[in-house]
Amino acid sequence: MSGYRLTTVETVREEGSWAFTAREGDEDREVFLVPCADEPGEADDSVDPPVRAWINRCTHEDQRLHREGIGAVTRGGSVVCPKHGSAFDSCEGSCDNGEAAGTTLRSIDVDVRDGAVFLTDDDLTYLYEGLPDDDGDDEGPASSSHLTF
């Protein structure tokens, strides 16, 4: 099995999330990795793969879930939308609360071998680590969530 080596499982666990930009057709896609575990920093090696990759957009509104310098907000095994507070299961991508209830994040295929995470999604070509500059059009969320971080 081939694929582009992205980072390590240890790095994703230590940082809480890790992002990269890839190309799909003629579009750039933001993708982030999160540990598949109940709590940040927790290692669950029984889960295969121990990290998951998701397109970096809330399903309710075009809002980044992972932001440069902050990462993805995770709580209790979920990735939390910073705008509306919808919580997406880190392992499954599904949401059962808030504005995004009943939706699922778009997954990206990754594989873990010897502690390294590889991009194996045939539709994506790795471009670079991190996210593109937002050119000021993604000022951050004007939160309407009842959650406090």
Side-chain angles (χ1 to χ4, degrees):
M1 181 178 280
S2 62
Y4 185 88
R5 185 185 184 283
L6 298 169
T7 187
T8 65
V9 172
E10 180 179 350
T11 297
V12 176
R13 286 182 179 153
E14 286 177 1
E15 295 181 13
S17 61
W18 190 88
F20 67 97
T21 302
R23 176 65 51 106
E24 181 179 40
D26 60 355
E27 301 272 337
D28 287 357
R29 301 284 183 220
E30 297 178 14
V31 180
F32 70 101
L33 304 171
V34 289
C36 187
D38 285 337
E39 295 298 328
E42 182 176 290
D44 187 351
D45 294 320
S46 67
V47 177
D48 186 33
V51 299
R52 297 291 200 274
W54 308 106
I55 291 290
N56 190 27
R57 292 291 179 208
C58 178
T59 56
H60 166 64
E61 190 172 296
D62 192 21
Q63 174 67 49
R64 284 180 166 156
L65 298 171
H66 179 285
R67 297 183 56 80
E68 287 296 331
I70 299 171
V73 175
T74 58
R75 181 177 283 161
S78 296
V79 175
V80 182
C81 175
K83 186 161 188 175
H84 294 107
S86 293
F88 297 88
D89 184 278
S90 296
C91 300
E92 303 297 324
S94 58
C95 180
D96 62 4
N97 74 318
E99 301 288 341
T103 66
T104 302
L105 295 175
R106 179 177 161 206
S107 66
I108 299 301
D109 295 335
V110 293
D111 188 33
V112 174
R113 298 187 297 271
D114 297 323
V117 183
F118 292 83
L119 174 63
T120 57
D121 197 301
D122 292 336
D123 295 331
L124 295 176
T125 302
Y126 177 87
L127 294 176
Y128 54 87
E129 179 179 343
L131 305 177
D133 290 333
D134 63 22
D135 297 329
D137 63 352
D138 188 8
E139 298 282 331
S143 180
S144 61
S145 170
H146 64 284
L147 298 176
T148 303
F149 301 103

